[in-house]
Amino acid sequence: KRATGKTRGYQTQRMKRAIIYTRISTNKELQNISQQINYCKDWAAKNGYKIVKVFKDERTGRTNDRKGYRRMLKHLKENPMPLIVQDTDRISRNFYDSVAFEKFIITNKIKLISLSETIDLDTPNGLLMFRIKYALNSQYVENLLEKIKVGVERAKREGKYKGRKKGALGRKNKN
């Protein structure tokens, strides 16, 4: 009964294709990238999406110089489809990179699906909420960096800070 689109009494429905982007910062003990991926995949399955690719990064969101992020943008430019994220702060925590991302998804007609926020970029209010969110994401990083700076200065005054350990922040030891 192909003419009606029915198979064994069930209506067949073409699944929508989508991709997932996940990111964790450098502290792997407190974050779990698999948890993000599974959360997004579970939501996609319940909502009729077929995941065609998962992009991931284990790097700070303060920069868009991330391999998975760049590959995701390239894929979306060549194959426009919905992008599923657990939270918009997984995309970026840098204000200007977020502005560029907004322009990219609007220009390329990409549907952004954030599972922790209800943000519809097709509406003026949705765009406003997205912009507020990425301003807050950027402020979060700036506040965190300020707290770190104050803590390091205090530790130096107390003689407890001797500089970064070799290999800190993903840097290679030169031995």
Side-chain angles (χ1 to χ4, degrees):
K1 310 220 173 173
R2 293 180 185 159
T4 63
K6 291 185 179 181
T7 316
R8 297 184 187 199
Y10 296 101
Q11 183 71 32
T12 57
Q13 194 176 39
R14 185 178 171 139
M15 293 189 75
K16 300 170 272 187
R17 296 165 27 106
I19 64 169
I20 292 172
Y21 178 73
T22 60
R23 180 188 62 77
I24 61 170
S25 298
T26 54
N27 190 342
K28 295 176 186 173
E29 292 176 14
L30 298 176
Q31 300 175 340
N32 185 322
I33 205 159
S34 297
Q35 184 178 342
Q36 281 183 51
I37 293 168
N38 292 335
Y39 184 68
C40 291
K41 282 183 174 181
D42 290 347
W43 182 91
K46 291 176 187 170
N47 289 277
Y49 286 89
K50 177 184 178 190
I51 301 303
V52 297
K53 200 152 179 86
V54 175
F55 297 90
K56 58 187 175 181
D57 283 303
E58 294 185 16
R59 191 151 185 221
T60 179
R62 292 183 309 190
T63 175
N64 67 2
D65 185 25
R66 293 172 269 142
K67 192 182 288 188
Y69 180 79
R70 289 192 315 270
R71 287 179 178 163
M72 176 215 31
L73 293 179
K74 183 177 187 289
H75 180 84
L76 287 172
K77 188 167 184 123
E78 294 169 358
N79 309 287
M81 63 182 62
L83 168 62
I84 301 170
V85 295
Q86 183 174 347
D87 190 297
T88 55
D89 70 0
R90 301 298 82 206
I91 297 165
S92 180
R93 286 192 185 259
N94 176 293
F95 183 82
Y96 298 105
D97 291 343
S98 296
V99 171
F101 177 76
E102 176 192 326
K103 182 178 179 183
F104 174 85
I105 61 174
I106 290 171
T107 301
N108 291 286
K109 297 181 171 80
I110 306 299
K111 180 174 179 61
L112 175 64
I113 302 168
S114 173
L115 303 185
S116 66
E117 304 127 340
T118 306
I119 296 177
D120 182 356
L121 298 182
D122 293 331
T123 67
N125 285 341
L127 274 172
L128 174 64
M129 294 308 296
F130 185 60
R131 291 169 180 160
I132 289 170
K133 181 71 193 268
Y134 61 68
L136 291 172
N137 291 339
S138 181
Q139 184 215 23
Y140 168 80
V141 169
E142 291 166 13
N143 284 340
L144 184 62
L145 291 173
E146 184 63 26
K147 288 176 184 178
I148 291 169
K149 181 180 171 185
V150 168
V152 167
E153 288 172 4
R154 179 194 46 77
K156 282 180 180 178
R157 279 193 312 273
E158 295 173 1
K160 296 178 181 177
Y161 184 78
K162 308 284 188 220
R164 289 186 182 144
K165 294 178 183 175
K166 288 184 180 178
L169 300 176
R171 298 169 199 246
K172 304 278 184 202
N173 289 334
K174 294 184 179 181
N175 292 350

